[in-house]
Structure formats: structure tokens, C-alpha cells
């Protein structure tokens, strides 16, 4: 499905650590409100609605609304922020898997400012899908370089 900007809507599925790394790269620097996440314990699902930066289109600075969800979630723990502040904005930096007793472990979503979500999962199963058209933003996200980086 093509959006109004002509870009193909992204749809990804992560079933292992390598897949999760690819998914993480596509959502790096996504922004979302605290209110835009939901844990459904009965369904064992954790859902986020976010505005991801389109890292594929390097000729324009664009964002797109996307949905991200993880299945087989036993427990969700928030660190560094509170659901009592639903209008707070989080900036997603990375998603990684910390293995436990295979195939279980923790999926860790790390946000700027020391915030994180830890999802205790039976196995890795995540999906990302663009939900609408892209829109322009003023700048590409920038990251400070570590000492010694070129």
C-alpha cells in the first residue's frame, strides 16, 4: 500500500533477535505520548501507537504514524515515567532482547531520559505497521557522538 507521499507502507514482523534489531532500527527516534501505550494482560499483548521517523527516505524529513505490538507478554514494567502523566512525550531509542530460559526473556524498550519499558515475554513476536500517510518534519533526529567517534 502506498501512502500519499508515494512511499510504501512499512510492515515488519520480529520473531527472533535479528528481526527485532531490524524493527528497532525502523522505530529509532519514534515519539509517543504515555497515553498511547496499552498492556492487555488477558490477551498477553503490549501495544504502542507512535510517530516514527522514516529513516528510509533520506531525501526528505518525514514521520508516519505506526502501530507496534508485542505478543506473549507475561508482565510489563515501566521505569522512569508514570501513567499518571499521560501527556508526557517519550522518545524511543532502541528495542533489545535480554534472553532468559529459551525462548523466553525480556524485550526492553529504551527511551531518552533514562525511561524504559521491560516486557517479560514467553518468546519474541512483534509487529510494526505504518497506519497512515507521511508528513514533513523540520529536522532529522540527531544523536550526540561518543568520544572518539569520527
Amino acid at each position: 500500500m502506498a501512502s500519499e507521499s508515494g512511499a510504501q507502507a512499512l510492515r515488519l514482523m520480529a520473531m527472533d533477535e535479528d528481526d527485532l534489531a531490524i524493527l528497532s532500527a525502523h522505530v529509532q527516534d519514534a515519539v509517543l505520548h504515555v497515553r498511547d501505550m496499552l498492556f492487555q494482560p488477558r490477551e498477553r499483548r503490549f501495544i504502542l501507537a507512535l510517530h516514527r521517523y522514516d529513516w528510509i527516505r533520506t531525501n526528505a524529513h518525514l514521520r508516519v504514524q505506526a502501530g507496534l505490538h508485542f505478543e506473549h507478554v507475561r508482565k510489563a514494567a515501566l521505569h522512569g515515567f508514570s501513567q499518571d502523566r499521560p501527556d508526557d512525550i517519550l522518545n524511543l531509542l532502541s528495542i533489545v532482547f535480554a534472553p532468559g530460559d529459551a525462548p523466553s526473556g525480556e524485550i526492553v524498550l529504551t527511551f531518552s531520559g533514562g525511561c524504559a519499558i521491560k516486557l517479560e515475554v514467553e518468546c519474541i513476536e512483534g509487529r510494526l505497521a505504518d497506519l497512515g500517510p507521511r508528513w514533513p518534519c523540520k529536522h532529522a533526529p540527531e544523536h550526540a557522538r561518543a568520544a572518539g567517534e569520527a
Side-chain angles (χ1 to χ4, degrees):
M1 171 172 78
S3 71
E4 291 173 14
S5 66
Q8 195 71 10
L10 185 65
R11 296 198 186 292
L12 296 175
M13 185 170 174
M15 299 298 287
D16 60 28
E17 289 182 70
D18 292 336
D19 294 344
L20 195 60
I22 293 167
L23 192 148
S24 178
H26 284 284
V27 296
Q28 181 181 357
D29 295 309
V31 291
L32 66 145
H33 286 96
V34 169
R35 69 173 168 260
D36 294 333
M37 60 180 74
L38 175 66
F39 178 42
Q40 298 176 314
R42 278 194 179 138
E43 292 82 3
R44 298 183 311 156
R45 179 179 299 125
F46 192 87
I47 304 167
L48 302 104
L50 42 86
H51 297 168
R52 72 173 190 85
Y53 185 80
D54 187 351
W55 288 106
I56 296 172
R57 301 268 313 245
T58 58
N59 61 336
H61 303 301
L62 301 172
R63 286 202 179 265
V64 60
Q65 186 175 16
L68 172 63
H69 68 93
F70 295 97
E71 301 292 331
H72 313 290
V73 179
R74 294 180 184 141
K75 180 180 173 185
L78 311 178
H79 299 278
F81 67 98
S82 171
Q83 289 181 304
D84 294 338
R85 298 178 50 135
D87 292 329
D88 283 359
I89 295 174
L90 299 172
N91 180 23
L92 183 57
L93 300 177
S94 67
I95 303 173
V96 297
F97 183 69
D101 292 331
S104 68
E106 282 187 337
I107 294 175
V108 181
L109 294 88
T110 302
F111 300 90
S112 60
C115 300
I117 299 171
K118 293 183 180 179
L119 304 176
E120 183 183 305
V121 296
E122 292 175 13
C123 61
I124 297 173
E125 184 179 337
R127 288 185 176 86
L128 172 69
D130 289 347
L131 302 175
R134 285 155 174 71
W135 67 89
C137 56
K138 289 185 179 183
H139 305 286
E142 293 185 20
H143 297 272
R145 293 179 184 238
E149 275 189 40

